[in-house]
Amino acid sequence: MYFGFVLSGFNEKYSEWTIDFENEQISNDDIIHFNGGSGYVVYNPQIDNDNPSEYVGVVIRDGGDIWAGTYIELDSYLDFSTNTTLNMRVLSPYPGLMVKFKIEGDQGAFPSEPATERDSYTTKTNEWEILSWDFSGEPSNTYRKLVLMFDFGNVGD
């Protein structure tokens, strides 16, 4: 599953920010793999008006646990005081795929505490679409790990 991590959101320095894979903002070294999920920065396989980025992320799940995925750590904490929704462009091979987005603090080893998660589902086949996760009610300055688990609940194939 490809994700055009043109992930828009917010942090303590800016009311809004965008994370993408352009200009080495995120490199392969920044993506942490766990339990059978692997993530990489790759050339966008489907550049179009919905995602004109040259580079995107890809998550490959080959076996592993039903919660396999990847994560990145931000330099600063998320600030939910002005915006509570995280959005991400996703290119999925089929609709109905659950994408679990978990955010974590930095207390303890991975998985870190505190933590909370939300689910969203793909609706398109081989087309970029924007998925959204609403983190209303979550405290600011608590979370800095962005954890992605594609096709959650199934063993990767």
Side-chain angles (χ1 to χ4, degrees):
M1 162 137 343
Y2 292 93
F3 57 104
F5 216 28
V6 177
L7 176 68
S8 56
F10 36 87
N11 70 14
E12 62 190 22
K13 291 185 179 180
Y14 310 102
S15 62
E16 289 202 31
W17 51 254
T18 299
I19 294 176
D20 62 31
F21 295 105
E22 306 301 317
N23 303 312
E24 299 181 6
Q25 181 183 15
I26 296 175
S27 70
N28 285 326
D29 292 338
D30 298 319
I31 302 171
I32 311 300
H33 320 283
F34 63 90
N35 296 82
S38 299
Y40 305 97
V41 177
V42 298
Y43 187 73
N44 186 346
Q46 189 168 309
I47 296 175
D48 57 25
N49 289 337
D50 292 325
N51 190 350
S53 299
E54 185 174 0
Y55 294 98
V56 297
V58 63
V59 172
I60 300 167
R61 294 189 52 219
D62 188 13
D65 294 312
I66 62 171
W67 58 83
T70 61
Y71 73 91
I72 63 168
E73 289 188 50
L74 302 173
D75 292 333
S76 60
Y77 293 93
L78 296 172
D79 178 356
F80 292 111
S81 64
T82 59
N83 189 344
T84 59
T85 302
L86 296 173
N87 302 301
M88 181 173 57
R89 290 187 178 120
V90 173
L91 178 71
S92 170
Y94 54 89
L97 186 116
M98 180 194 293
V99 182
K100 186 173 288 292
F101 199 139
K102 184 177 181 183
I103 54 176
E104 296 183 1
D106 54 9
Q107 299 171 13
F110 181 78
S112 306
E113 294 295 327
T116 188
E117 57 195 46
R118 305 289 193 275
D119 299 332
S120 189
Y121 294 86
T122 61
T123 62
K124 297 183 178 185
T125 302
N126 295 321
E127 293 181 46
W128 288 106
E129 67 179 307
I130 296 175
L131 298 184
S132 297
W133 297 265
D134 185 355
F135 288 95
S136 295
E138 295 300 331
S140 294
N141 303 316
T142 302
Y143 306 104
R144 57 182 228 123
K145 289 182 184 173
L146 305 177
V147 183
L148 293 169
M149 294 169 273
F150 289 92
D151 201 16
F152 186 83
N154 297 304
V155 173
D157 62 359

